Amino acid sequence: MFLYNSEVKKLDIEVKDIISLYRSANDMQVALPGHTSQRASGFLCYYKVEDRCEIVVAFHLQEENILGFYTWDQGSVTPQDARPVIEEGLGFFEAMGFMMGDLELHSFGVEDSRAQWESFPLKKGLVPRPKEARKKKKSGGSDSVPPKVLQKMSGEEEDGVSDSEVLELTPYEKCRTQRLKLCQKVGRLLASF
């Protein structure tokens, strides 16, 4: 079983130690212990430490801009015992609605693999977003974007509105307009059949 581990803030490992790395293809609404419900992406990292292996489940909480880690309750495992633990970790994500995919880091060259690994929040860690800079929830649902942010996204500026009043966008909000356009195009495509 995977247990929440608030002490882990990042994975200080090298790409050569990673056996496999999975990443979610979608974001989901999750609530981790001690945190509000918010959009998150998911990672599962399987890596070696000497002759044993570690399997870690991680969430990137987008509103707070932090990582939440779950570690295997029995600690490290042997390579022979790792498969069932990985499957349980992937099942953990799938039960929440995540679609996980293996990034196959070792299919790239050494430098490309290293550059990709170092670009992930798991490796470099994150700077938590201050409470006052977090997205304010509106009654319109978790998917609603504040009007001032929409003005900023569309390039419109309202007289007298300073940049400090415009809230910082989460990655989920940044691609909202592209998602809406894609949904419309898919809808038209499906309607043509």
Side-chain angles (χ1 to χ4, degrees):
M1 175 179 2
F2 285 92
L3 300 175
Y4 184 66
N5 188 338
S6 61
E7 295 175 13
V8 180
K9 302 296 181 202
K10 65 180 181 174
L11 295 179
D12 197 17
I13 57 174
E14 296 302 319
V15 73
K16 65 180 175 53
D17 297 324
I18 298 172
I19 299 167
S20 58
L21 178 65
Y22 295 81
R23 183 178 187 181
S24 63
N26 60 330
D27 294 340
M28 295 300 296
Q29 194 80 12
V30 298
L32 299 187
H35 302 280
T36 60
S37 175
Q38 57 195 285
R39 300 295 289 183
S41 53
F43 296 89
L44 184 141
C45 188
Y46 168 41
Y47 60 97
K48 60 184 173 186
V49 178
E50 297 171 6
D51 62 339
R52 306 278 292 178
C53 297
E54 295 283 337
I55 299 161
V56 176
V57 167
F59 293 92
H60 173 199
L61 301 176
Q62 296 172 2
E63 185 179 313
E64 295 179 45
N65 199 41
I66 62 168
L67 295 169
F69 286 91
Y70 282 77
T71 53
W72 185 242
D73 66 345
Q74 297 173 16
S76 60
V77 297
T78 63
Q80 298 80 13
D81 297 332
R83 192 76 222 149
V85 178
I86 292 170
E87 288 174 6
E88 185 169 331
L90 292 173
F92 183 63
F93 280 114
E94 289 169 4
M96 290 183 266
F98 286 98
M99 295 179 292
M100 302 299 287
D102 190 348
L103 295 176
E104 300 178 8
L105 282 180
H106 297 292
S107 65
F108 302 104
V110 175
E111 288 304 314
D112 291 337
S113 295
R114 182 177 295 118
Q116 189 171 8
W117 168 241
E118 290 178 358
S119 72
F120 291 132
L122 297 179
K123 169 67 176 166
K124 60 185 176 182
L126 294 169
V127 177
R129 189 171 288 124
K131 278 191 176 186
E132 39 303 328
R134 295 180 194 160
K135 179 180 92 170
K136 305 287 187 249
K137 294 205 176 204
K138 298 285 183 183
S139 60
S142 63
D143 214 14
S144 64
V145 179
K148 290 180 183 177
V149 172
L150 287 174
Q151 287 176 344
K152 186 78 167 180
M153 288 169 59
S154 65
E156 299 173 12
E157 291 292 329
E158 185 178 307
D159 292 337
V161 176
S162 68
D163 283 341
S164 63
E165 291 179 42
V166 178
L167 301 174
E168 183 178 337
L169 294 173
T170 64
Y172 181 75
E173 292 167 332
K174 286 179 183 176
C175 64
R176 183 171 191 256
T177 55
Q178 290 100 346
R179 277 194 336 273
L180 292 173
K181 287 178 185 178
L182 178 64
C183 288
Q184 290 172 344
K185 288 178 183 178
V186 170
R188 282 189 219 115
L189 175 72
L190 292 175
S192 68
F193 288 107

